[in-house]
Amino acid sequence: DETDKLISDTFLWGYKKLLDWLPKFIDKVKEFQPDLIIHDQTVSSAPITAFLEDIPCVSLITLPGFNCYPLLMGRHSEAEKENALKELMASKFLQKYFKQFEDQYGFDILDVFTPYTYYHRNGLQICTGIKEFDVEMPQIFKKLYQGMDEDCLYVGPMLLTEEQGRVSSMDGGIKCEHQWLDEP
């Protein structure tokens, strides 16, 4: 369908797989009974489970700032950003999965989370970036996430001198050799 061609294949695949994986993930979390869930903000199963099961959660943001939304990458004007969300909501493929999700879990996922930016309203957001790198929150997400960017805890930059601690570096490792695969 033409509406689906505007959406990243990763988004399409992710929502389809979410409905397969989420019940098993929720069962495992219930079995484990964690006091806290720590998750990458681009992965949906952990914050959705935290939301459904009322478990405190921490979102580890590995992007430059809180207001860096993968859904909006390459979109610069507010109109382009609004269009990104409209395109997502118009996708016939995704409409099917959004409806199945709402039927199964009792809430519209887009009312609670933004695709690939799964911040939990009652969670703690920790960003490895630098607050000065953050940009203004896009208008389309202000209703959902208003004020959360101000509460985000920044812990970057992650740079240490040798005196301050261990400095990671790339080991030369095994030398690459020219192989048949490198031939034209």
Side-chain angles (χ1 to χ4, degrees):
D1 184 87
E2 290 301 312
T3 61
D4 301 326
K5 292 180 182 176
L6 300 172
I7 310 301
S8 160
D9 288 346
T10 305
F11 281 13
L12 297 173
W13 176 83
Y15 277 102
K16 179 186 182 317
K17 295 313 289 179
L18 175 63
L19 288 169
D20 296 336
W21 295 336
L22 192 56
K24 296 171 199 149
F25 186 83
I26 291 172
D27 288 345
K28 291 293 181 185
V29 169
K30 285 179 179 178
E31 183 182 316
F32 186 70
Q33 299 179 350
D35 295 322
L36 175 72
I37 294 175
I38 301 172
H39 68 93
D40 183 292
Q41 94 282 358
T42 62
V43 179
S44 60
S45 52
I48 290 171
T49 302
F51 177 78
L52 290 169
E53 298 300 317
D54 198 28
I55 301 170
C57 68
V58 175
S59 175
L60 181 59
I61 304 167
T62 54
L63 295 169
F66 181 92
N67 289 311
C68 184
Y69 300 92
L71 177 66
L72 303 181
M73 289 183 178
R75 313 284 179 124
H76 303 288
S77 70
E78 286 297 327
E80 288 174 318
K81 293 173 185 177
E82 281 181 37
N83 209 30
L85 197 54
K86 286 178 185 174
E87 290 168 359
L88 188 82
M89 294 167 67
S91 163
K92 295 221 184 328
F93 180 87
L94 288 177
Q95 284 176 6
K96 172 184 162 185
Y97 289 100
F98 291 154
K99 173 84 172 91
Q100 285 180 357
F101 184 92
E102 188 168 1
D103 290 347
Q104 192 166 346
Y105 295 103
F107 72 97
D108 182 340
I109 194 169
L110 296 178
D111 285 346
V112 180
F113 298 106
T114 297
Y116 282 110
T117 316
Y118 296 93
Y119 301 139
H120 191 300
R121 166 103 0 236
N122 296 323
L124 171 64
Q125 280 47 251
I126 297 177
C127 183
T128 59
I130 302 171
K131 184 159 184 68
E132 292 74 26
F133 287 174
D134 205 8
V135 295
E136 185 179 334
M137 183 177 289
Q139 195 64 37
I140 60 169
F141 295 138
K142 284 189 177 179
K143 180 181 175 193
L144 183 59
Y145 292 143
Q146 182 68 48
M148 288 177 68
D149 52 347
E150 295 304 317
D151 295 332
C152 181
L153 179 63
Y154 284 84
V155 295
M158 303 296 255
L159 303 174
L160 297 175
T161 64
E162 287 186 63
E163 293 79 32
Q164 293 171 316
R166 185 177 71 85
V167 176
S168 296
S169 64
M170 292 290 289
D171 175 327
I174 301 170
K175 297 259 186 225
C176 291
E177 295 179 21
H178 187 83
Q179 300 175 21
W180 66 267
L181 189 60
D182 299 319
E183 296 300 323

